[in-house]
Amino acid sequence: MCSPEYFAVEYAINPWMDVSTAVDAELAVKQWDRLRETLLGLGHDVHLLTPEPGLPDMVFAANGAFVVDGTVYGARYKHEQRAAEAVAHRAFYETRGWHFIAPNETNEGEGDFAYLPEAHGGLVLAGHGFRTELPAHAEAQEALGRPVVSLRLVDPRFYHLDVALASIDDENVVYYPGAFSAASQRVLAQLFPDAVIADDADALAFGLNLVSDGLNVVLNSEATRLAGTLKAAGYHPVPVELGELKKGGGSVKCCIAELRH
């Protein structure tokens, strides 16, 4: 995770960003701290990336890389405003001895990649259409040695896979069908017949931008309906307020890069 010490909406690169909307920087840090404390309280380790001035979106740490079994497939951001973040993420992994693979193709890390280690023997779901380019899916497959299933995003409000779909355990997902092309919806239905399906309200509340350890599901507190759906499915929803960071187009998952040793 990376503190939102320098977080602000200084440019608009997704439909949620409005440069005329003020960000309460102090509140953003408090909300982020509460998310970090929630993860620690659930028994997880949290490693911190040092924020850098001039990079207001560094708080969205999920976009910096995608890690599977100790191999790190690095990010290459679509927008110039965020390009320097990739350097900071690479340094984080390399100084800790991780096997880092530099990308040639445009991709935004866990923003557009999700890993399910027990689904069909270990499967990567990969989004494209707005940020990550389709050739990056093949590059990730070669880098990580895991089959990659490409899913086309069609609604600009759901510009990353992680605002439209999330893994809720090692073999199942929750997703919002309307974010995907008709063909990708059919693929998801075939792969995950028991998936939890979210509605418009869940998706627009950033409810799908969540993290789960297989039982505890940490999600945006605005997604009350989805929290109820997940509870009925046997999971334990843990709501967290992240209203300030939502102004940048992100929520819980965007703030968390998962380190899979």
Side-chain angles (χ1 to χ4, degrees), residues 1-257:
M1 298 180 69
C2 182
S3 169
E5 183 177 343
Y6 302 108
F7 175 66
V9 180
E10 298 178 353
Y11 43 78
I13 58 174
N14 69 59
W16 303 92
M17 302 177 86
D18 181 352
V19 295
S20 66
T21 300
V23 170
D24 185 330
E26 184 178 351
L27 180 57
V29 172
K30 287 181 179 179
Q31 291 177 344
W32 177 89
D33 273 333
R34 179 58 185 150
L35 173 59
R36 181 180 59 85
E37 290 164 0
T38 296
L39 297 174
L40 292 171
L42 292 172
H44 301 292
D45 295 324
V46 177
H47 302 264
L48 298 179
L49 181 66
T50 303
E52 298 181 13
L55 297 175
D57 280 342
M58 271 191 77
V59 63
F60 300 129
N63 303 150
F66 178 52
V67 185
V68 173
D69 291 342
T71 297
V72 184
Y73 175 54
R76 184 173 182 175
Y77 290 86
K78 178 179 178 67
H79 296 285
E80 181 61 31
Q81 294 95 327
R82 299 194 65 186
E85 294 178 40
V87 178
H89 283 274
R90 179 172 185 169
F92 174 90
Y93 290 106
E94 289 188 333
T95 58
R96 288 161 177 79
W98 291 72
H99 178 215
F100 186 92
I101 297 177
N104 293 311
E105 305 294 344
T106 299
N107 82 89
E108 299 201 349
E110 283 199 314
D112 275 320
F113 290 104
Y115 182 52
L116 292 102
E118 294 183 14
H120 307 279
L123 192 66
V124 175
L125 301 180
H128 69 101
F130 297 103
R131 297 292 187 84
T132 296
E133 300 292 338
L134 190 56
H137 296 183
E139 187 174 61
Q141 181 168 274
E142 288 300 308
L144 302 171
R146 295 291 183 275
V148 175
V149 175
S150 296
L151 302 168
R152 185 161 71 92
L153 298 162
V154 296
D155 187 329
R157 296 173 299 177
F158 309 108
Y159 59 95
H160 272 155
L161 183 70
D162 71 0
V163 291
L165 176 149
S167 62
I168 44 177
D169 56 39
D170 286 345
E171 57 187 348
N172 203 10
V173 298
V174 55
Y175 68 97
Y176 170 57
F180 298 93
S181 69
S184 292
Q185 289 182 42
R186 291 194 294 272
V187 169
L188 285 167
Q190 291 175 55
L191 289 174
F192 304 102
D194 299 320
V196 175
I197 304 300
D199 63 16
D200 296 54
D202 297 330
L204 293 172
F206 274 71
L208 293 160
N209 196 239
L210 59 80
V211 294
S212 173
D213 58 17
L215 173 61
N216 303 292
V217 182
V218 183
L219 77 168
N220 194 301
S221 59
E222 294 180 34
T224 53
R225 179 184 175 91
L226 182 58
T229 303
L230 289 166
K231 186 174 183 179
Y235 299 91
H236 176 229
V238 183
V240 177
E241 168 60 41
L242 283 177
E244 288 306 298
L245 295 177
K246 187 180 176 183
K247 295 175 181 178
S251 189
V252 174
K253 175 57 194 171
C254 286
C255 293
I256 300 166

